[in-house]
Amino acid sequence: MYDRMDPPAFDAEATAELADWCERILTTAEDRFSAGRSIARRLGAQVEGDRVVFGFFVPELQDWSIADGDIFIELLRPEAGAELDLAVSHSELAFERVLLPVQRCEAFAFCVASGVKAGTREVTGDFYALVWRDADHNYTRILDPLAMSVPYGAFAPAEVYDVAAMQEARTDKGYFEALKGDAPHKFTPPTSILQLHIPTATAGGTLASLTRQIQRLAERVAHGLPLEPADELFMGYDAVQPLPVEPTTVYEAGPPFWTEGAASEERVEATLTRPNTTNWGYDVVISGMATVNPVLLETARPDELVDLAAALHNFPGKPKKLILDVVFGHSDNQGLDVLSSHYFAGPNMYGQNLDYLNPYVRGILLEMQRRKVNFGADGVRVDGAQDFKWWDWAAQTLRHDDDYLAEMSGLEQEVAGTSYQPWFVFEDGRPWPDEDWELSSTYRAVIENQTHDPDVFQWGPLTFAHNTPFIYTFWLSKYWRIKEILAHGANWISGTANHDTLRRGTQVNPKLNINTRLGDTKMEILDKAYDNPAVSILTYAVFPGVPMDFLNATARASWGFIRNQDDKYGVKVVAEEAISLKWQVDSYSYSIPGNFRRLKELGFETREDLARFFEFLPALVEVTEYDLNTIAALLNAVEPPLAGPDRFTVGLLKQIACAWMDDMHEYCNVSHYLSYLDPNQTGFMRKLRDFRQSNPWLRGNFGEADQFRYLEPLDGRTVFAALRNGPEGRKVFAVCHMEGRETDEIEPLKLLPEAERGRDWRLVLRSPGIGDDYLGGPITLRDSMGLVFEAV
């Protein structure tokens, strides 16, 4: 609801003071980057008492010689009597338009105004942008990249938002206040991490829905109520890491979420659509990175991210940390439509490189990060750190910007009056994507560079990208990497199941040497490969570092490449994804009425119909070099005719591609799989995570007394045996059957080093498939089985 109030008024004196301050900073700062960092703190739309301070970085207006008198802050407020409901899917609205003057200082423009309505959890604020006027009295918008609320996405006017009120209302202030000290608090690594994708993590698919689930689980834990398998999926972790929550790209072919009709200097008519894209979260445009993707918000209020942080921090027994996944290593090409060219340094494989050498852009990017983490995150995961590069003109080569990465991890946050530095983990597989990256990447480049912080982490070699643990000999082929994990893994994220690896698994040709002992069907094989008891024993009871699991893997839910905005290459992407049908969808799953409803409406009534179409599509994409007109013509010539539309056209091919993305997005929702969870599996995995929580010393690298080996002779199977030595005489011994034939009857404790066999050992964990009556002694181990012993 909007409350009527006095119209906005320009504060000339306060604006002049701000412009003068900017001039002093530019004159007296140590260098331009120091100036940029200081000025960036005053950019965006910030509520200060009864005024709002607007600041924009607009070097393009210098380039185009736009006069000061032709630049304004544009404020949009629903007309009297008009109701704006941000949660409805579609609305038509007329806005009162107010244009306020600005004062410029070099590439920066400022305006201080009173009477501006700021948004809160309860009310919607005024929308705003900076506009400039040409000689024909046409107005062009420049949107705010540092906006704190974008109800209609990063390509529409932002909402003035009262961030201080949001922070004041947070319910985890006690959590932060307890950390307050003379120096900024430094968060240390969690013991284990649950990675999840918010739109598929719950039936509701929003931050609010996930928060309610965490709160319900907290209530059950606090009152000692029994936990179901669906509850156990979230237990045993002390950190949660959502995939990125910042605004992403929009539909390439439209329609926009904010479309304007008749407009004058006093009034604007607009058609508003609630954002409804589906995306992993990595297709960012950089603008809006400081706030939350409106697609993830049930209420259209960014407070939902604060609520999630609070629910985790207030979890009974042991607070859970929130780790935000941030993407500052690239921008999608759509970023060119929302940011000036000064932000970009040229194209790359994802879209555009950012111009980290521009001192003002560099400062703004760091300020975006600071404001985002101030939602209350304890840690930060930096996506694609190997992509942060700058062009060395003298050497004519790209160089990694490790100084910028160090600046990212050195940022100081403030929440509830407490200054702190988050824990940082970088995904960095350099020299990826070079052809030899799998052999030459050390996964230690950032760790070794950031010696100022002993707790900086990287993704480890079994976590990064291309891992397929359901192909025979995978574990022996990775043995050299495992040895590196044992020696260097203390500052690595470990585990084989994440959003990248699970998706890559669905792209494997089923005709390769697949480990069929994992299951009777391809779906079972894929599920067990990434939710595997033996692999998890290795990860949680043996390996150093911090284990991480992906919710879709532990829930044995489907997963895929989710992005329905791509009009130009959408058909090509789906052709690449077509093979995942063989791994994740059987005839029964396809036939369920609620599944794949869009594809069924397009004529693919059965899985077999779609599978036949998918046999042709990838081949035609390749042989035609992605000529959509030729692809459509060839599909129409297939005999007997393919199921689907009566006649394929380029438009229908794009519609099919979008239907696949949207149907798979729904199919991947974890809520559909909860009824099928095996309590033996979820219970074992939870116990294993609890074991790691009780033995945090396992994070350290292997010492001289620790041992790791595989059983010889191999005899058609890979069985690992590992001994870890902890403080105060604690010892852990694990045996894991990773793949291949079953063993002969073996005595696990006889696999110990001879000096350890005389001790008393207690079996503490046995994988599903091993009876509860087994307490030790001879046993035959089969694929995916494992045992964990502790010295008594």
Side-chain angles (χ1 to χ4, degrees):
M1 289 284 294
Y2 270 86
D3 297 325
R4 306 319 299 173
M5 56 187 296
D6 293 335
F10 176 61
D11 189 328
E13 182 179 353
T15 301
E17 289 177 358
L18 187 56
D20 290 344
W21 168 85
C22 180
E23 179 64 36
R24 289 196 301 274
I25 293 295
L26 290 173
T27 302
T28 62
E30 181 179 352
D31 52 36
R32 291 189 303 155
F33 175 48
S34 298
R37 294 192 72 165
S38 296
I39 296 169
R41 296 291 291 265
R42 303 307 305 272
L43 299 182
Q46 302 188 62
V47 179
E48 297 183 1
D50 60 354
R51 305 181 306 178
V52 174
V53 177
F54 297 94
F56 279 78
F57 174 58
V58 283
E60 63 269 42
L61 299 188
Q62 284 184 309
D63 299 340
W64 304 333
S65 300
I66 306 301
D68 290 13
D70 286 321
I71 307 171
F72 308 91
I73 292 296
E74 174 192 43
L75 293 170
L76 300 168
R77 180 180 297 174
E79 287 185 330
E83 293 290 339
L84 175 58
D85 185 347
L86 299 175
V88 299
S89 60
H90 182 87
S91 60
E92 310 267 345
L93 210 66
F95 290 88
E96 298 172 0
R97 188 184 201 188
V98 176
L99 299 177
L100 300 177
V102 302
Q103 187 161 338
R104 292 166 72 184
C105 174
E106 300 298 336
F108 301 95
F110 298 100
C111 173
V112 181
S114 60
V116 178
K117 188 168 187 59
T120 65
R121 188 189 291 269
E122 292 78 22
V123 299
T124 306
D126 291 337
F127 290 86
Y128 73 97
L130 183 141
V131 297
W132 61 274
R133 180 175 57 196
D134 64 17
D136 297 321
H137 274 247
N138 297 313
Y139 289 87
T140 300
R141 279 197 184 110
I142 296 176
L143 302 174
D144 181 12
L146 283 158
M148 292 305 295
S149 177
V150 286
Y152 296 101
F155 293 81
E159 178 194 7
V160 177
Y161 210 75
D162 192 339
V163 174
M166 178 177 70
Q167 292 284 9
E168 179 60 30
R170 66 185 309 135
T171 59
D172 60 348
K173 287 189 286 187
Y175 171 82
F176 285 102
E177 289 168 354
L179 305 174
K180 189 179 298 185
D182 294 335
H185 175 78
K186 182 67 176 76
F187 278 104
T188 54
T191 306
S192 61
I193 302 170
L194 174 64
Q195 184 193 43
L196 52 80
H197 177 239
I198 287 165
T200 58
T202 63
T206 63
L207 281 161
S209 178
L210 177 61
T211 298
R212 288 193 296 271
Q213 182 152 323
I214 298 295
Q215 290 171 336
R216 282 195 296 267
L217 180 58
E219 283 292 308
R220 298 189 69 80
V221 170
H223 292 89
L225 298 173
L227 301 182
E228 295 181 309
D231 299 323
E232 290 185 309
L233 294 176
F234 290 86
M235 294 299 292
Y237 302 100
D238 57 358
V240 172
Q241 178 186 305
L243 271 63
V245 298
E246 33 268 356
T248 64
T249 55
V250 295
Y251 298 118
E252 286 183 345
F257 301 130
W258 178 296
T259 305
E260 292 185 2
S264 68
E265 289 193 0
E266 295 79 27
R267 188 175 185 273
V268 171
E269 294 180 0
T271 298
L272 308 176
T273 302
R274 181 174 180 173
N276 57 358
T277 52
T278 55
N279 200 284
W280 274 12
Y282 295 98
D283 296 310
V284 299
V285 294
I286 298 303
S287 186
M289 294 287 280
T291 188
V292 185
N293 186 350
V295 175
L296 307 179
L297 299 175
E298 185 176 296
T299 62
R301 306 288 78 190
D303 303 65
E304 288 184 30
L305 183 54
V306 171
D307 294 343
L308 175 62
L312 294 170
H313 293 156
N314 294 331
F315 201 85
K318 183 178 183 181
K320 296 181 185 294
K321 296 177 179 177
L322 173 64
I323 300 169
L324 290 181
D325 191 344
V326 299
V327 189
F328 284 101
H330 68 273
S331 168
D332 185 273
N333 283 324
Q334 287 189 25
L336 297 170
D337 298 327
V338 71
L339 293 173
S340 80
S341 60
H342 291 259
Y343 282 86
F344 303 106
N348 63 23
M349 64 186 297
Y350 301 110
Q352 296 293 321
N353 289 309
L354 299 177
D355 189 359
Y356 303 105
L357 292 189
N358 184 314
Y360 305 127
V361 170
R362 196 177 184 94
I364 288 170
L365 295 177
L366 289 169
E367 178 63 10
M368 288 180 180
Q369 174 191 316
R370 189 190 69 83
R371 295 186 191 186
K372 184 56 157 286
V373 178
N374 271 355
F375 273 89
D378 311 80
V380 178
R381 182 258 186 186
V382 178
D383 178 67
Q386 71 276 340
D387 300 322
F388 291 70
K389 297 177 181 178
W390 57 275
W391 181 253
D392 185 336
W393 288 97
Q396 290 292 289
T397 188
L398 282 170
R399 299 196 183 280
H400 292 283
D401 198 338
D402 287 312
D403 289 341
Y404 184 83
L405 299 182
E407 287 159 2
M408 294 183 80
S409 64
L411 274 182
E412 189 174 309
Q413 308 297 143
E414 184 173 337
V415 175
T418 298
S419 297
Y420 71 94
Q421 287 186 298
W423 172 65
F424 263 78
V425 55
F426 294 85
E427 179 202 30
D428 191 307
R430 69 182 77 173
W432 188 90
D434 291 357
E435 290 184 359
D436 68 341
W437 72 269
E438 285 195 89
L439 289 174
S440 55
S441 178
T442 66
Y443 301 95
R444 300 198 296 275
V446 180
I447 293 170
E448 292 172 350
N449 181 66
Q450 297 201 23
T451 54
H452 65 280
D453 187 350
D455 281 331
V456 164
F457 265 58
Q458 285 187 230
W459 274 26
L462 291 185
T463 304
F464 189 87
H466 305 80
N467 286 298
T468 50
F470 53 94
I471 295 179
Y472 273 125
T473 73
F474 172 84
W475 289 103
L476 276 184
S477 71
K478 294 291 185 181
Y479 189 70
W480 67 287
R481 283 297 194 191
I482 290 174
K483 291 174 68 177
E484 289 182 337
I485 292 172
L486 306 181
H488 306 288
N491 283 50
W492 277 344
I493 301 297
S494 63
T496 61
N498 59 67
H499 73 280
D500 263 338
T501 55
L502 183 54
R503 185 251 173 158
R504 295 296 178 185
T506 70
Q507 304 300 299
V508 171
N509 188 335
K511 294 182 180 179
L512 295 179
N513 192 19
I514 303 300
N515 181 1
T516 55
R517 288 183 172 87
L518 291 172
D520 296 327
T521 68
K522 295 182 182 68
M523 292 173 69
E524 290 177 350
I525 291 170
L526 189 73
D527 287 344
K528 194 168 184 179
Y530 293 103
D531 182 39
N532 188 288
V535 175
S536 293
I537 288 175
L538 205 62
T539 303
Y540 280 87
V542 176
F543 282 169
V546 170
M548 183 179 73
D549 297 323
F550 183 44
L551 179 62
N552 286 64
T554 57
R556 301 201 171 184
S558 294
W559 181 245
F561 188 73
I562 299 170
R563 183 182 68 193
N564 66 358
Q565 302 104 299
D566 193 335
D567 181 72
K568 184 175 182 180
Y569 292 109
V571 176
K572 185 177 183 179
V573 171
V574 170
E576 295 170 354
E577 289 290 296
I579 196 170
S580 69
L581 185 74
K582 299 179 179 181
W583 284 107
Q584 300 195 95
V585 187
D586 59 17
S587 295
Y588 176 76
S589 298
Y590 194 92
S591 71
I592 295 174
N595 289 347
F596 300 96
R597 53 190 177 89
R598 299 171 185 84
L599 287 167
K600 291 173 182 174
E601 290 170 359
L602 288 169
F604 301 103
E605 296 181 2
T606 68
R607 180 195 178 280
E608 290 66 33
D609 291 339
L610 184 61
R612 185 164 179 254
F613 171 77
F614 275 170
E615 290 297 327
F616 284 92
L617 183 63
L620 295 179
V621 165
E622 183 175 355
V623 300
T624 67
E625 296 183 343
Y626 195 51
D627 184 328
L628 287 174
N629 286 295
T630 303
I631 292 171
L634 293 173
L635 288 171
N636 288 325
V638 172
E639 290 293 340
L642 294 168
D646 292 335
R647 184 168 184 80
F648 292 98
T649 65
V650 172
L652 281 170
L653 285 176
K654 292 181 177 181
Q655 189 177 347
I656 292 167
C658 191
W660 165 263
M661 289 293 186
D662 288 335
D663 282 345
M664 277 301 294
H665 179 252
E666 291 181 1
Y667 185 67
C668 291
N669 194 288
V670 167
S671 65
H672 303 319
Y673 300 83
L674 300 180
S675 299
Y676 306 102
L677 292 173
D678 179 357
N680 293 319
Q681 176 72 5
T682 60
F684 169 75
M685 292 298 196
R686 178 190 171 186
K687 291 176 183 176
L688 191 53
R689 295 190 294 268
D690 290 342
F691 180 80
R692 182 72 169 213
Q693 295 287 339
S694 299
N695 293 275
W697 57 269
L698 287 167
R699 183 208 142 183
N701 293 327
F702 267 49
E704 292 183 2
D706 295 332
Q707 295 193 24
F708 188 95
R709 67 186 179 95
Y710 57 84
L711 269 59
E712 298 180 90
L714 288 172
D715 197 21
R717 74 281 192 279
T718 302
V719 178
F720 292 142
L723 173 68
R724 297 294 312 267
N725 291 272
E728 300 176 354
R730 301 196 70 172
K731 294 177 181 289
V732 172
F733 178 64
V735 180
C736 309
H737 190 307
M738 308 306 298
E739 59 185 352
R741 299 173 181 171
E742 66 180 30
T743 65
D744 296 329
E745 193 172 78
I746 60 173
E747 170 57 78
L749 295 179
K750 289 185 178 179
L751 302 177
L752 280 162
E754 189 171 348
E756 301 290 344
R757 294 178 191 173
R759 295 180 180 274
D760 290 331
W761 292 85
R762 176 172 61 93
L763 179 65
V764 291
L765 289 166
R766 62 178 79 79
S767 64
I770 299 175
D772 293 343
D773 56 343
Y774 178 79
L775 301 176
I779 189 174
T780 298
L781 293 178
R782 296 186 295 277
D783 196 311
S784 306
M785 285 184 174
L787 300 164
V788 179
F789 298 86
E790 275 187 330
V792 177

